[in-house]
Amino acid sequence: MTMLEFDHLRVEINGRPILRDVTLSVAAGEAVGLVGESGSGKSMTVKSVLRLLPPGARATGTVRFGDTDVHTLDGAGLRRMRSQDVAMVFQDPRATVNPVRTIGDFLTEVLRDQGVSRSDARTRAAGLLADVGVDHVARRLRQRPHELSGGLLQRVVIAAALATSPKLILADEPTTALDVTTQEEVVAILNERRREHGSALLFISHDLELAAAVCDRIAVMYAGEIVEILPADRLHEDARHPYTQALLRSRPGTVAPGERLATVPGSPQSAFDAPAGCVFADRCPQAAGLCRDVRPALLPIDSGLAACHLLPRETPSVA
Amino acid sequence: MLLEVRDLRKVFKGRFVAVDGVSFSVPTGGSLAVVGESGSGKTTCARIITGLEKATSGTVTIEGERRASTVQMVFQDPYQSLDRRQTVTSCLTEVLAHHTTLDRAGRAARSAELLNLVGLDERHGPALPRALSGGQRQRVAIARALAADPKLLVLDEAVAALDVSIQAQILNLLVDARAATGVAYLFITHDLSVVQHVCEDVVVMHRGRVVESGTVAEVLSAPSDPYTRKLIGSVPRPGWVPTREVNRVC
C-alpha cells in the first residue's frame, strides 16, 4: 500500500522554480532516503507534505498521503495530519523543543491534546524516553532542553515523534548536527522504533552511505529533480546516473591516500539555474547535445530508475 | 620540529578541564590530524596554538620568530571568517602588505598567483564574498592564509560545512597547495575519511586527552584504543548496520 506519493510535484516561489518535477512514492512501512547536496530541494520536497512551504510558494502536481491529496485538506484535516498521522524530525533539536518548557511538557503535549489524562501521559512519556535509551527518566522529564546534550535532545525529539504512532515519519538530516558515535545510536534507535510501530520513513541526508544503511530505497536529487532511484543495497553496484556516480566517487576514502579525488567541476546548482534539458548537463563530464535541450525521463535500468540520455535503453519489444 | 606541543592544559572558569595534558608535534612540511568529537578539546588546542586562547599550563614551541607569519588558520565557516565588505583582492593584498616587503605591483602579482593556486582567477578578484559560493569562499580563506607564507596552516574543520562534491575539490586543493608550497598542516576534524586523504599522522582526542597517536595508516587499520575503535566503527560505509550500544535503559 502506498503511504505517500509525489506525482509530478513542482514548486515555484515568485515564478522561480524550487522543485522542477518530483515523482516518488513511499510504501507503508518502507524507508526511502532522499539524498542530494544543498539547494537540491530535499527539504522543500519533505515540507510540501505538511504544507510547510514558504509564503508565496505555488505548488502544482499532487502530494497524496494515503488517499488524500494534501492540497485539498482544510484546516482541521491539516492539523490532524500534522499532529497524529505524520511526524517530523528536524536537523536541530534545539530549534524544535521549546527552551522554556520541560521535556515532560514537550512529550505530553500531543498526548494531552488527544484526551489522554495527565498521569497516563506522564507514564507513557517516561516509557517513550526509556525506549530511546534515555537514562534517569524521571529526572529528564523535569529538565529543560539546555540541560541535555544535543544527542540526548534529539532522542527526546524522536520519542515525541513516535508518541502518536504516526503512519509516516519525515526526518530532515536528523543526525547532521551530532557526532558520529552519537549518530550511530540515534539512527539505530530511529530505525528500530520505526519498525516496531510499522511507520514509513522519508529520510533526508547528504550522506549516501548513511542513507543506504538506514533505508530500503535511495532517491538522488539534483536541482529540484529526482535523477535516480535505486535499492539501497545496490547503491554501489547499480548506480548509473553520472551524478550519483560522481557523488560516490568524490568521498575521500574511495581512493588511496594522496591520490586525487574525482571531482565534479562547478558547484551544485539550484532548480532555477539548471539547464532546461537534463539538470546535470552543465556539470556532467559526458554531456552531449541532446542533454542540454531535452529532459530525460526517469526510466528503468538494472534494479532502479535513472533519468539520463546516455544510458543504454532496451527498445520496447513489440509482442 | 616545526611545532611542539607539550603537556598542554586548559581549564575554563577554574573548573572545566577542556584540555588535559596533551602533547604532540608536527615536523616541517608534515601533516597531522587531530581527531575527536565535539567537546574533546581539539578546537581549544588549535586556538591555543594560534594564540587565540591562553593555556593554563604547558608549552607550545613554534619554529620562527613571529607566530603570526609562521602560523595561519582556516576556519570552518567561510560565511563568517571573511569580511563581507572587503573584496577578494583587497583581502589578499592587505595580508601581503602586512607580512611581506612587496611593493604595490608585487602584491598584485602575488595575489593573482595565490588566486590561481586555489583554483580561482582574476574575475573573482573584485568580487565581494556574497557573490561567491561556499566552496569559492573557502578557497579565498585558504588563499588568505597562504598569503602570509606560513610554515604551518591550522585547519579547523575547514571542509566540514561543504557539500560532498565541493569537499572533494577543496581536499584536492589542499594536497596540491602543500606540494607546491611545502606548508605543514594541523588538521582539526571529526571526519576520519578526510584524515586518510590529507594527513600522514593522527592523534585521537577524547575528553581532553590524547587516547591514541601514530601514522594514519597504523591507527586506522589497527586501532588499539577502544574509543578509536568505536569512532572508526561508527563511520557509515557500504554494508554498515547502525547498532545501539545500550539496548534499553529503565
Side-chain angles (χ1 to χ4, degrees), chain A:
Chain A
M1 194 187 101
T2 307
M3 185 52 65
L4 174 67
E5 191 175 20
F6 300 95
D7 192 4
H8 297 291
L9 174 68
R10 184 182 170 86
V11 174
E12 287 179 5
I13 295 177
N14 303 327
R16 287 168 72 114
I18 303 295
L19 293 180
R20 302 226 299 198
D21 185 351
V22 175
T23 300
L24 179 71
S25 66
V26 184
E30 187 192 23
V32 173
L34 202 53
V35 178
E37 296 181 279
S38 49
S40 62
K42 314 181 290 283
S43 292
M44 210 53 94
T45 304
V46 166
K47 284 182 178 162
S48 68
V49 178
L50 294 175
R51 287 200 2 218
L52 289 173
L53 296 173
R58 211 173 61 89
T60 52
T62 50
V63 181
R64 266 189 298 277
F65 174 68
D67 303 323
T68 33
D69 179 344
V70 299
H71 295 296
T72 63
L73 283 174
D74 56 6
L78 193 60
R79 189 174 149 75
R80 202 190 112 78
M81 180 177 81
R82 286 178 181 171
S83 70
Q84 289 181 34
D85 300 332
V86 182
M88 179 122 193
V89 180
F90 294 94
Q91 176 174 338
D92 181 5
R94 299 215 184 269
T96 310
V97 186
N98 187 337
V100 299
R101 304 293 299 272
T102 63
I103 300 301
D105 287 343
F106 173 70
L107 283 168
T108 52
E109 187 186 355
V110 187
L111 297 170
R112 294 281 292 140
D113 188 54
Q114 289 170 13
V116 179
S117 78
R118 189 181 298 273
S119 62
D120 279 2
R122 203 84 183 163
T123 315
R124 271 175 66 183
L128 288 165
L129 277 188
D131 282 346
V132 295
V134 173
D135 53 359
H136 311 296
V137 169
R139 181 160 63 92
R140 298 290 182 212
L141 287 173
R142 290 192 304 270
Q143 285 182 315
R144 284 166 219 279
H146 74 270
E147 297 173 89
L148 273 63
S149 70
L152 216 45
L153 202 56
Q154 193 65 303
R155 285 180 222 214
V156 171
V157 172
I158 290 172
L162 291 159
T164 56
S165 293
K167 298 190 184 91
L168 173 68
I169 300 169
L170 305 170
D172 189 351
E173 303 258 13
T175 57
T176 306
L178 309 177
D179 283 319
V180 274
T181 52
T182 318
Q183 161 169 287
E184 176 170 11
E185 285 278 308
V186 170
V187 224
I189 288 166
L190 177 65
N191 231 358
E192 176 197 302
R193 303 306 300 152
R194 174 186 77 77
R195 290 215 178 91
E196 251 165 62
H197 288 261
S199 312
L201 171 69
L202 188 59
F203 184 87
I204 294 194
S205 180
H206 64 280
D207 187 335
L208 269 169
E209 299 297 352
L210 177 68
V214 174
C215 301
D216 303 309
R217 285 191 300 145
I218 301 290
V220 181
M221 275 194 94
Y222 185 81
E225 277 189 29
I226 289 178
V227 296
E228 183 157 20
I229 302 176
L230 72 171
D233 54 0
R234 303 293 301 166
L235 174 67
H236 289 268
E237 295 80 4
D238 286 0
R240 300 301 295 274
H241 196 281
Y243 179 62
T244 315
Q245 291 180 337
L247 276 186
L248 286 170
R249 272 199 307 262
S250 58
R251 278 298 292 155
T254 51
V255 298
E259 258 180 60
R260 298 192 68 81
L261 288 168
T263 58
V264 196
S267 44
Q269 293 160 304
S270 66
F272 181 68
D273 301 316
C278 170
V279 279
F280 191 55
D282 280 352
R283 299 177 71 199
C284 183
Q286 304 152 39
L290 183 68
C291 300
R292 309 197 147 273
D293 309 319
V294 185
R295 239 194 100 221
L298 201 55
L299 295 171
I301 182 153
D302 296 329
S303 59
L305 300 159
C308 179
H309 289 303
L310 305 166
L311 298 175
R313 301 289 185 189
E314 287 171 28
T315 33
S317 54
V318 185

Side-chain angles (χ1 to χ4, degrees), chain B residues 45-63:
Chain B
C45 283
R47 292 178 64 87
I48 292 170
I49 291 163
T50 44
L52 294 170
E53 203 86 65
K54 265 196 131 106
T56 309
S57 64
T59 54
V60 175
T61 321
I62 296 161
E63 203 184 273

